[in-house]
Amino acid sequence: MTQLTGQPATDDDVVHLTVPADGGYLGVLRTATAGLAARLQFALDEIEDLRIAVDEACAMLLAIATRDAELECRFAVTEDALTVEVTVPTVRGATLPAESSFAWKVLTALTTSASATSADGRATIALLTRRSGGY
């Protein structure tokens, strides 16, 4: 298995969380994000940026999620990076905000890279954040 970082990861390096697609459960994903980023010794401001990015990505997906959907979140940990992929089943005809939208500007400003895919009635947003040097 290879992550967006291009580095191999073992199953021990991957955490899967599934929560109801409801804003009330986003705190669970923000907490998991912060915990994993802290494990990688990210700086406090990097951790907060990543928490905000995950929250923004989830908000984008919740807006197009089907009723009673589940939000699937996959965290992949490598030596110096954390990849977060959030996926949700979408309503028919749903589209993610354009890459020129404010929401995408937030994601790209707060992470190393952000991307989205939509196929077979599901949308995924992937965020990659590399730890800054000096640790």
Side-chain angles (χ1 to χ4, degrees):
M1 171 178 343
T2 302
Q3 307 312 310
L4 292 177
T5 61
Q7 298 176 356
T10 65
D11 287 338
D12 293 339
D13 296 322
V14 178
V15 175
H16 295 272
L17 285 176
T18 302
V19 298
D22 179 286
Y25 291 93
L26 295 185
V28 174
L29 299 180
R30 287 190 302 266
T31 301
T33 300
L36 291 168
R39 177 177 170 218
L40 287 170
Q41 299 178 343
F42 277 41
L44 290 176
D45 59 334
E46 292 172 319
I47 293 171
E48 189 57 26
D49 286 351
L50 188 53
R51 284 170 38 105
I52 293 168
V54 167
D55 200 54
E56 188 67 34
C58 290
M60 290 168 64
L61 292 173
L62 290 180
I64 60 172
T66 59
R67 175 179 241 166
D68 299 324
E70 290 186 329
L71 199 60
E72 297 173 21
C73 193
R74 181 179 179 276
F75 300 90
V77 179
T78 59
E79 187 176 314
D80 68 343
L82 179 61
T83 301
V84 182
E85 294 177 352
V86 186
T87 303
V88 71
T90 60
V91 295
R92 178 170 292 178
T95 58
L96 287 164
E99 290 188 16
S100 60
S101 69
F102 179 74
W104 274 104
K105 299 290 184 204
V106 170
L107 291 183
T108 57
L110 297 175
T111 61
T112 304
S113 67
S115 63
T117 57
S118 185
D120 301 323
R122 299 180 68 76
T124 300
I125 296 177
L127 308 172
L128 167 66
T129 300
R130 292 189 188 281
R131 184 184 65 218
S132 63
Y135 296 98

